Amino acid sequence: MAVPEYTIADFIHQEAWWKNRALLVLNIYLILPLLSSVLSGLDASILNGLQILPAWQEYFHDPQKKILGIINAAQSIGAVSGIPLTPYVADLLGRRATMFFGATIVVAGILTQALSTTVPVFIGARVLIGIGNAFTNSAAPLLISELSYPTHRGKLTALYNSMWYFGSIISAWICLVAYDQAGTSEWSWRIPVFLQAIVPVLQMSLIWFIPESPRFLAAKGLESQAARVLARYHASGPGERAHLVAFEMAQIRHAHNVEREVASSPSYMTCFATPGNRRRMFIIISIAIFSQWSGNGFVSSYISIVLDGIGITTTRTKSIINGCLQIFNLASALLGTTLVDKLGRRKLFLISNVGMLIVFSMWTLTTALFNETKSTIAMKATIPLIFMFFFFYDFAYTPMIISYTLEILPYNIRARGLAIMNFTAYLSNAFNVFVNPWALGAIGWKYYLVYCGWLVVELVFVMLFIIETKGRTLEETAVLFDGVKTHGNTEWKDNLTLARMPQPRSPRVDKDFRDNYFELHESSGDRCSVSGTQ
């Protein structure tokens, strides 16, 4: 009689997740690492909002061109400095400890920024915030990806980067309220900066109340603790507990065993050591650059300059447009998040890049017409085009940049691969924010043509290299890049399945989770089995 085989779909919770107490509690816990993205959006957008405020401009003597570029790039410079260390800390101390460490640095940077009296001190504070953000933004998505329920992982990791706009919304409207209440007082810009500290203080206070990544625990040899976490937060009921947890533990252990054969001591070079890894890094580095160089940097960092370029100069009007745009961005990103598992990753990227190319070309045309003819029709048309452009950008790049990166990386290089992605994105952003104001000042609307050409390159890349990962676990996705793995004299193929061992009754997950409870047996070429001691 054939041994029945199962995939993870046979054991997942089928009802609404909020009706399952374990899943409800887990998803509430995961709000805390999601706040790291909120903090990034809050911090990045606060500077955009401050540039609109007359009090900030006056206090720092109206910084322009290179000085303004350095102020905007300072946070990215700090992040680039800290990112190389983040995977070592995350893999050594754990995801939670890394988040705590990063949040502490961010609080110190925010307080320094809020109390700064000179441009150099303000820039130094921005660098410090960037270093802290590097640690929180590297550890938080890892924790979400590795701890979330299998069928929730795609949406939650996509939601992570989408929450950037939630922070951006808070920032934009806080700056508007501060301007309305404090006018030209220096508190109109200091108060919004002080309020940034709320998020990292919450993370520092609550991070130890949420569980550690089971994949990190298993990698450290703490398999009983990893199994306990999975059983407590993933098991959907008494009848399915043992099989679901056993399946997940089997996949984790199998992945770790295979990865140890490839590299017993992973380093950054491991990310480029095999054809599969080089293919991963080519895709990851490319989409990281695309996330910053698609034309979105114009509005994300210099909305005041962009709006000046189409004749909108009043502070309140700029602030309202900025605030409304951030709300629209969040809605667009959430729409993309909800469609991740329905349309798939590749289709989202294709829709996004085609839409951005068409709309940005139209945006370039209206900006050129206004600059050459001062046409009010062109000015009025540019505003909705900016919104339309960000709809297509947010539809894929906001939810997918983190999610897709984590999905295609195996555990042994996941932290380092994410660090490389973040490093590339921050470096691209630093270049962007420094060059954009100079280029716009030098050649005006003609600089938009550069991005039109670049968007064509992006579309061709997506068509040729982005592959679909929908419906696979983290371990199964690795096979798309690495193909058949050889383990001793045994080949492991595309689908890791659970074969039920003949036994008189289903295994129970006992409360103490003895270390030898889960045992992975390597048998025939394309299956693995899990047995339990009782």
Side-chain angles (χ1 to χ4, degrees):
M1 180 178 176
V3 178
E5 293 183 354
Y6 302 93
T7 66
I8 200 164
D10 295 306
F11 306 112
I12 60 173
H13 183 70
Q14 300 294 337
E15 298 178 2
W17 62 267
W18 56 84
K19 295 180 180 179
N20 183 301
R21 186 178 183 279
L23 297 185
L24 177 62
V25 171
L26 175 61
N27 288 336
I28 290 173
Y29 281 159
L30 291 176
I31 292 174
L32 195 67
L34 283 171
L35 289 178
S36 293
S37 184
V38 175
L39 176 61
S40 292
L42 185 60
D43 178 69
S45 300
I46 201 80
L47 193 56
N48 208 13
L50 294 182
Q51 291 176 54
I52 298 174
L53 299 177
W56 185 86
Q57 294 283 355
E58 182 180 350
Y59 193 89
F60 291 107
H61 310 294
D62 193 20
Q64 297 289 330
K65 295 184 179 179
K66 290 183 179 180
I67 298 298
L68 184 59
I70 293 172
I71 292 174
N72 273 290
Q75 196 257 20
S76 295
I77 292 170
V80 167
S81 302
I83 282 172
L85 300 176
T86 59
Y88 296 101
V89 178
D91 286 344
L92 179 65
L93 302 180
R95 289 31 173 154
R96 296 183 303 172
T98 306
M99 282 183 60
F100 180 86
F101 179 66
T104 304
I105 297 175
V106 170
V107 169
I110 288 172
L111 295 178
T112 303
Q113 181 178 250
L115 298 172
S116 60
T117 56
T118 64
V119 169
V121 173
F122 191 89
I123 291 173
R126 300 290 302 158
V127 171
L128 197 60
I129 292 172
I131 294 172
N133 273 339
F135 285 91
T136 59
N137 285 333
S138 292
L142 290 173
L143 184 60
I144 292 169
S145 177
E146 295 170 359
L147 183 60
S148 58
Y149 195 67
T151 53
H152 297 173
R153 173 179 49 82
K155 289 185 177 66
L156 283 171
T157 51
L159 180 62
Y160 177 80
N161 217 40
S162 300
M163 293 301 289
W164 190 95
Y165 283 120
F166 187 72
S168 186
I169 290 169
I170 296 171
S171 168
W173 291 101
I174 283 177
C175 287
L176 177 58
V177 172
Y179 173 72
D180 284 342
Q181 298 298 318
T184 56
S185 166
E186 65 183 68
W187 289 105
S188 67
W189 69 265
R190 291 191 190 274
I191 289 176
V193 175
F194 271 121
L195 291 176
Q196 281 182 265
I198 294 174
V199 173
V201 168
L202 279 175
Q203 290 187 316
M204 291 169 59
S205 305
L206 301 177
I207 189 61
W208 304 112
F209 291 96
I210 70 176
E212 181 57 272
S213 160
R215 286 169 172 81
F216 167 77
L217 294 173
K220 291 298 182 182
L222 303 173
E223 292 191 8
S224 61
Q225 292 185 33
R228 189 180 299 116
V229 170
L230 291 173
R232 182 172 182 180
Y233 297 103
H234 285 196
S236 58
E240 302 294 337
R241 286 174 66 95
H243 288 142
L244 175 63
V245 177
F247 187 91
E248 291 190 274
M249 286 301 300
Q251 284 200 319
I252 291 170
R253 183 180 290 179
H254 163 65
H256 287 168
N257 288 341
V258 171
E259 288 161 9
R260 286 191 194 102
E261 289 188 352
V262 177
S264 57
S265 181
S267 66
Y268 277 106
M269 293 307 298
T270 309
C271 296
F272 303 92
T274 67
N277 285 352
R278 286 192 290 272
R279 184 182 177 193
R280 289 183 177 99
M281 298 317 302
F282 175 61
I283 294 173
I284 288 169
I285 291 172
S286 297
I287 62 175
I289 294 172
F290 297 165
S291 73
Q292 303 300 317
W293 285 6
S294 295
N296 52 303
F298 283 140
V299 175
S300 297
S301 299
Y302 297 107
I303 190 169
S304 183
I305 295 176
V306 170
L307 294 178
D308 283 340
I310 55 172
I312 298 174
T313 58
T314 61
T315 299
R316 184 172 179 80
T317 302
K318 288 180 179 179
S319 296
I320 291 173
I321 291 173
N322 186 34
C324 292
L325 179 60
Q326 304 316 317
I327 295 173
F328 180 80
N329 284 339
L330 177 61
S332 302
L334 292 178
L335 176 62
T337 299
T338 60
L339 296 175
V340 162
D341 290 328
K342 293 181 180 179
L343 297 181
R345 286 62 165 158
R346 176 178 167 82
K347 190 172 289 186
L348 282 183
F349 276 118
L350 285 170
I351 293 171
S352 175
N353 279 93
V354 170
M356 283 195 296
L357 176 59
I358 294 171
V359 176
F360 195 86
S361 299
M362 296 169 66
W363 179 4
T364 301
L365 177 61
T366 57
T367 302
L369 287 172
F370 177 80
N371 279 267
E372 298 299 326
T373 67
K374 303 301 178 185
S375 167
T376 56
I377 296 176
M379 179 189 73
K380 291 177 181 178
T382 301
I383 300 300
L385 286 174
I386 292 174
F387 278 73
M388 288 174 62
F389 170 82
F390 272 92
F391 170 80
F392 286 108
Y393 174 85
D394 295 326
F395 190 69
Y397 280 90
T398 296
M400 291 304 303
I401 183 68
I402 297 289
S403 176
Y404 194 75
T405 296
L406 292 175
E407 284 184 342
I408 67 176
L409 289 170
Y411 178 83
N412 70 323
I413 61 168
R414 191 169 296 144
R416 288 168 178 80
L418 182 62
I420 291 173
M421 190 283 292
N422 281 327
F423 182 89
T424 304
Y426 277 115
L427 195 63
S428 301
N429 182 59
F431 175 85
N432 237 5
V433 297
F434 187 76
V435 170
N436 279 349
W438 172 81
L440 286 170
I443 60 176
W445 68 266
K446 295 181 182 67
Y447 185 49
Y448 286 54
L449 296 173
V450 175
Y451 282 97
C452 290
W454 182 252
L455 285 168
V456 173
V457 174
E458 291 186 12
L459 177 58
V460 172
F461 176 91
V462 168
M463 294 172 65
L464 294 178
F465 297 106
I466 296 296
I467 63 174
E468 187 55 70
T469 60
K470 182 177 72 170
R472 293 176 179 266
T473 66
L474 293 174
E475 287 73 27
E476 290 168 347
T477 300
V479 182
L480 297 175
F481 291 86
D482 299 318
V484 177
K485 285 289 187 181
T486 301
H487 189 78
N489 295 322
T490 303
E491 288 186 342
W492 295 74
K493 302 191 178 177
D494 284 4
N495 292 318
L496 182 63
T497 57
L498 181 67
R500 182 182 294 164
M501 295 296 291
Q503 47 193 350
R505 56 194 175 96
S506 297
R508 291 191 324 265
V509 181
D510 99 2
K511 65 179 181 180
D512 294 324
F513 283 107
R514 295 186 296 276
D515 284 338
N516 64 347
Y517 183 85
F518 296 103
E519 183 178 358
L520 180 63
H521 296 279
E522 297 166 17
S523 52
S524 64
D526 59 357
R527 64 168 67 100
C528 71
S529 61
V530 182
S531 65
T533 61
Q534 300 187 30

